Amino acid sequence: MNRKFEQFSVEGGRWIYRKPYLQERGGKKRWRVRRRDTKTGIVEQLTLEASSLREAKEEVIALATKEKAVAEEAKKTPKEKRLTEVTLEQALDQWGSTLEVREVTLHRYFGDLKLFKVSLGSQKYVHEVSLTDLENLFFRSWKNTKGARTRIKHLKLLIRFFDWCVDHIYCVDNLARKLKVPVQWRKEAKKAARSKGKALTFKEAQRLLEACEQPFTLEIWNGYSTRQQEFKPPSYLHLFVLIGLRTGLRRSNILGLKWGDIDLEKKTLNIEASRMKNDLDFEVPLHDELVEALRKQLFSLGRVPSRQEPVLDIIEPHEGFKAALKRCGLDSSIRIHDLRHTFATWLGEHCTHSVMQRLMGHAPASMTDHYAKHQDMEVLRKGLNRLPWLTERRGQDTAVEGR
């Protein structure tokens, strides 16, 4: 029989596995297999440890046999002791609704929960999440895309989630607690915590913004040969970075920015205290360059958004940001938070300390700072607009209206 047309199908519990196949990503070839959920019809792709087709088939058969045994054992379990079948998406949404934290923290949590749904499989039942799934996520998928501090933070959040799932009989054990944090992670986390960050130069910021907007070409391997294919950066990336460079907002505040926070006529930004780290209202002018970009974004919607609608539709900007750094030749250690460092550095070169403090949203550290916070909005605007434009403009006085 011609192996090219060989049929291969294995049943394992509620899953049906197809024939493994070799796939190349980022210059690395890995064996993968697709499986279909017989209850929901959802198709998932798994990465295997195998180095040959024979080993891949054996690994799939072993995986299916194990799942089949678990399913058979579950049928023998008394009904009163059976787990409640709840999908990961449903459980994460339920748990998220029980959290009582500040709005800005809650928004960050929901961003993390969306990431877990995408990474672990939103339609997978909670009790079907295995230790292998978590190990693959933390030690493979996120190995080169997330730092040690971020992975430790995500792990702590998952531990809390699975504790809640155990209490609600959605799973038997908290597998996240069995995931051991490597010593190297802790060392990297401590080193990152001591890091003072980096401020981009004006030219570096321009290169980064260009990489966030301009199409780029990659070599794609189709199994037989390579070909050139053009790609576009994520549509949100350019505005995301520009907001960071022109407001100094923290990542969570950029992700949580709503159209109701922005007044394009008055050119102001107003975020209530409950969403700010220091629990203080944040009302500042907007740089003319950012006003123009926001008007362009608004025009692209083709409608009037609600006040609660987010300005940017993002799940996780990290990967797109890191890819843009690579394309423009900047240091890969630069973080999203360094956009805030950059904004502060530029303000320090063009503004007084009191103006800089207000525009950064820092809490007053002394009585002098407390009095200085009453500065007029136009004084802040004048200081802010001393920062030169990063993108091309058509006229000194009509840049916003003329585009």
Side-chain angles (χ1 to χ4, degrees):
M1 184 177 180
N2 192 335
R3 293 186 65 181
K4 182 177 180 180
F5 301 100
E6 177 187 354
Q7 297 295 319
F8 182 88
S9 179
V10 182
E11 293 186 17
R14 57 183 283 192
W15 300 96
I16 296 180
Y17 290 83
R18 307 306 297 176
K19 182 180 176 180
Y21 60 94
L22 189 62
Q23 186 178 52
E24 181 174 345
R25 284 184 180 176
K28 295 183 180 180
K29 294 182 179 181
R30 301 295 298 274
W31 284 97
R32 293 182 167 84
V33 64
R34 290 189 178 91
R35 65 178 187 178
R36 179 173 63 84
D37 190 328
T38 57
K39 292 186 178 181
T40 66
I42 299 295
V43 176
E44 295 183 350
Q45 177 181 265
L46 304 180
T47 301
L48 305 174
E49 298 282 352
S51 57
S52 66
L53 178 59
R54 180 178 178 180
E55 291 179 4
K57 287 182 177 180
E58 291 175 351
E59 187 175 342
V60 169
I61 292 172
L63 184 60
T65 301
K66 181 179 178 180
E67 290 175 346
K68 195 170 184 178
V70 171
E72 291 296 328
E73 186 65 29
K75 292 179 181 179
K76 301 175 184 178
T77 305
K79 288 185 177 180
E80 60 272 14
K81 292 186 178 181
R82 288 185 187 176
L83 299 173
T84 304
E85 290 194 333
V86 175
T87 65
L88 198 62
E89 182 175 24
Q90 293 171 332
L92 285 167
D93 288 342
Q94 290 176 22
W95 180 64
S97 66
T98 66
L99 299 175
E100 295 185 1
V101 292
R102 291 188 309 151
E103 185 176 349
V104 62
T105 305
L106 186 62
H107 179 83
R108 186 173 67 249
Y109 280 0
F110 277 126
D112 293 339
L113 299 188
K114 283 183 182 179
L115 183 62
F116 296 151
K117 294 175 189 177
V118 173
S119 304
L120 293 172
S122 60
Q123 298 306 310
K124 181 181 290 186
Y125 289 142
V126 175
H127 66 267
E128 291 179 335
V129 177
S130 66
L131 184 59
T132 301
D133 291 332
L134 298 180
E135 289 174 340
N136 286 338
L137 182 61
F138 281 87
F139 296 109
R140 291 184 182 174
S141 300
W142 290 347
K143 181 178 180 180
N144 298 318
T145 60
K146 295 189 182 297
R149 292 180 71 189
T150 303
R151 282 186 281 178
I152 290 173
K153 182 196 73 171
H154 285 332
L155 180 57
K156 289 180 178 179
L157 196 60
L158 275 180
I159 288 174
R160 291 173 57 190
F161 166 67
F162 279 110
D163 276 341
W164 179 86
C165 288
V166 171
D167 293 339
H168 287 74
I169 322 180
Y170 293 162
C171 60
V172 176
D173 197 8
N174 187 341
L175 297 178
R177 289 191 177 277
K178 296 183 179 181
L179 207 62
K180 302 300 181 184
V181 176
V183 174
Q184 185 61 30
W185 283 16
R186 301 189 187 280
K187 290 181 178 179
E188 290 179 15
K190 288 181 180 179
K191 183 178 179 181
R194 292 192 297 265
S195 173
K196 295 182 180 179
K198 173 181 173 60
L200 302 179
T201 65
F202 187 79
K203 293 293 184 182
E204 288 174 336
Q206 287 184 314
R207 283 162 50 195
L208 176 58
L209 283 171
E210 185 177 347
C212 291
E213 189 175 35
Q214 295 299 320
F216 57 95
T217 303
L218 292 178
E219 285 191 352
I220 305 299
W221 171 258
N222 60 12
Y224 302 97
S225 62
T226 59
R227 60 185 177 86
Q228 299 285 331
Q229 184 170 339
E230 186 176 274
F231 294 89
K232 291 183 179 181
S235 58
Y236 62 79
L237 193 57
H238 184 269
L239 184 55
F240 175 85
V241 172
L242 185 62
I243 292 174
L245 290 170
R246 283 303 180 221
T247 65
L249 286 175
R250 296 177 177 86
R251 174 184 175 277
S252 59
N253 290 126
I254 300 177
L255 295 180
L257 198 62
K258 306 170 186 176
W259 283 110
D261 301 327
I262 298 168
D263 189 327
L264 290 178
E265 289 188 8
K266 295 181 179 179
K267 301 181 183 180
T268 57
L269 173 65
N270 195 335
I271 303 177
E272 61 267 25
S274 62
R275 291 161 53 198
M276 297 300 293
K277 182 178 180 181
N278 57 14
D279 290 319
L280 294 175
D281 289 328
F282 184 63
E283 185 176 4
V284 294
L286 290 172
H287 192 283
D288 287 342
E289 181 179 21
L290 182 55
V291 172
E292 177 177 311
L294 289 169
R295 284 179 176 167
K296 183 179 178 181
Q297 174 77 355
L298 187 61
F299 180 78
S300 68
L301 293 178
R303 57 181 173 79
V304 178
S306 70
R307 292 183 59 80
Q308 296 302 313
E309 185 173 338
V311 175
L312 298 170
D313 185 16
I314 311 177
I315 294 178
E316 174 53 60
H318 181 84
E319 290 188 16
F321 180 76
K322 289 296 184 182
L325 289 175
K326 184 177 180 180
R327 288 196 299 274
C328 67
L330 292 179
D331 190 344
S332 61
S333 65
I334 294 173
R335 310 160 301 162
I336 290 175
H337 193 72
D338 288 329
L339 300 178
R340 180 172 171 83
H341 283 259
T342 300
F343 180 66
T345 301
W346 292 352
L347 288 179
E349 295 170 354
H350 294 86
C351 307
T352 64
H353 171 75
S354 57
V355 169
M356 175 182 171
Q357 185 180 46
R358 279 287 307 280
L359 292 175
M360 290 295 296
H362 288 155
S366 66
M367 187 56 69
T368 304
D369 292 339
H370 180 75
Y371 291 140
K373 75 177 184 179
H374 300 297
Q375 286 178 320
D376 183 79
M377 185 68 72
E378 290 308 312
V379 174
L380 300 178
R381 191 184 307 281
K382 184 178 180 181
L384 178 63
N385 281 320
R386 287 198 183 105
L387 302 184
W389 280 48
L390 290 161
T391 55
E392 184 181 353
R393 58 189 300 190
R394 291 188 176 178
Q396 290 294 327
D397 302 320
T398 61
V400 174
E401 290 79 13
R403 274 191 166 181

